[in-house]
């Protein structure tokens, strides 16, 4: 319908349609009604001619309009299909990027930190940060601050607070114990979240 409306807005198309409609009437008035000498053939012959004339024009118009409508529908359908394909490819690409980001976070920070905490848990049982040996504390701080690029804001904040306190002249181990336990809780929750997003088996005790 949009194509037909746009065609009707073209003045030359409108003139053509008006001329086509009036031509047989004009011919009838100027030739048949007056019985001019230039009129040849019988009335039945001319009726057949005008029937063919109108049929050809109307048929051509209808066929042309249907062709234009069909072409537009085909183009529209093709463009919509292309748009859907592009959107689907974009979603797949975004999902792949997200999965790689999850894997990097798991492999380069949360996984190693979880393994180190579990090692200390096995060695010391339930413990606070001050229970760790001096070298274990250093190893923990180095690993925690070494890959903060892969962490979230909560971990980043705790890591900075623990690092500042650990390197201060008068270390407050009560503060470090509190932050150490907060850190372990966040690591445990994030490990579970990452394993779920990556569709890995969830380990429960």
């Amino acid at each position: 319908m949009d194509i037909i409306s746009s065609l009707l807005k073209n003045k030359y198309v409108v003139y053509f349609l008006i001329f086509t409609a009036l031509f047989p009437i004009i011919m009838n008035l100027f030739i048949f009604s007056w019985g001019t000498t230039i009129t040849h053939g019988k009335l039945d012959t001319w009726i057949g001619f005008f029937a063919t004339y109108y049929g050809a024009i109307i048929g051509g118009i209808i066929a042309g309009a249907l062709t234009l409508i069909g072409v537009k529908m085909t183009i529209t359908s093709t463009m919509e299909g292309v748009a859907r394909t592009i959107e689907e490819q974009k979603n797949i690409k975004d999902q792949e990027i997200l999965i790689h980001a999850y894997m990097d976070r798991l492999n380069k920070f949360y996984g190693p930190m979880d393994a180190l905490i579990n090692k200390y848990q096995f060695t010391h049982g339930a413990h606070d940060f001050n229970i760790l040996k001096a070298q274990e504390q250093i190893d923990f701080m180095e690993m925690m601050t070494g890959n903060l690029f892969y962490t979230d804001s909560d971990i980043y904040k705790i890591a900075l607070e623990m690092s500042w306190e650990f390197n201060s002249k008068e270390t407050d181990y009560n503060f470090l114990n509190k932050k150490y336990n907060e850190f372990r809780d966040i690591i445990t929750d994030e490990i579970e979240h990452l394993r779920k997003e990556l569709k890995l088996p969830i380990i429960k005790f």
Side-chain angles (χ1 to χ4, degrees), residues 44-59:
D44 292 343
T45 302
W46 280 98
I47 290 175
F49 161 75
F50 286 125
T52 304
Y53 171 81
Y54 266 130
I57 292 176
I58 294 174

Side-chain angles (χ1 to χ4, degrees), residues 105 109-110 113-114 117-118 121 126-128 140 144 152 154-155 158 162 176-194:
R105 285 164 60 85
F109 185 82
Y110 290 94
M113 289 305 309
D114 185 60
I117 291 171
N118 287 336
Q121 186 79 15
H127 65 280
D128 289 325
F140 175 85
M144 179 178 64
D152 57 22
D154 292 335
I155 288 289
I158 291 175
M162 290 189 69
L176 287 176
N177 289 339
K178 177 183 176 183
K179 293 300 176 181
Y180 179 71
N181 289 323
E182 289 179 6
F183 180 88
R184 289 193 302 180
D185 290 340
I186 295 175
I187 290 293
T188 300
D189 292 342
E190 188 62 19
I191 285 287
E192 183 176 351
H193 168 70
L194 292 174

Side-chain angles (χ1 to χ4, degrees), residues 10-156:
N10 189 313
K11 64 179 182 179
Y12 296 106
V13 174
V14 175
Y15 293 158
F16 174 77
L17 293 175
I18 293 174
F19 175 78
T20 302
L22 294 179
F23 178 73
I25 299 174
I26 294 172
M27 291 294 292
N28 181 59
L29 289 175
F30 282 89
I31 297 178
F32 297 114
S33 296
W34 296 354
T36 64
T37 57
I38 62 172
T39 304
H40 301 283
K42 296 181 180 180
L43 181 62
D44 292 343
T45 302
W46 280 98
I47 290 175
F49 161 75
F50 286 125
T52 304
Y53 171 81
Y54 266 130
I57 292 176
I58 294 174
I61 292 173
I62 293 174
L66 291 176
T67 300
L68 286 175
I69 293 172
V71 169
K72 183 177 180 182
M73 291 177 63
T74 301
I75 293 174
T76 301
S77 177
T78 301
M79 295 302 295
E80 290 176 350
V82 170
R84 283 195 301 269
T85 300
I86 292 174
E87 185 65 23
E88 290 172 358
Q89 292 296 325
K90 182 178 179 297
N91 291 337
I92 292 173
K93 187 65 177 179
D94 291 344
Q95 186 64 25
E96 290 177 351
I97 292 173
L98 187 61
I99 290 174
H100 283 302
Y102 284 149
M103 291 180 65
D104 283 342
R105 285 164 60 85
L106 181 62
N107 294 330
K108 296 182 179 180
F109 185 82
Y110 290 94
M113 289 305 309
D114 185 60
L116 184 63
I117 291 171
N118 287 336
K119 175 184 175 182
Y120 293 161
Q121 186 79 15
F122 179 78
T123 302
H124 303 287
H127 65 280
D128 289 325
F129 184 77
N130 66 309
I131 300 298
L132 300 178
K133 297 177 182 179
Q135 187 58 49
E136 289 175 335
Q137 292 180 0
I138 294 173
D139 292 342
F140 175 85
M141 297 301 299
E142 288 180 348
M143 180 177 289
M144 179 178 64
T145 57
N147 280 321
L148 289 178
F149 176 79
Y150 298 99
T151 66
D152 57 22
S153 59
D154 292 335
I155 288 289
Y156 191 86

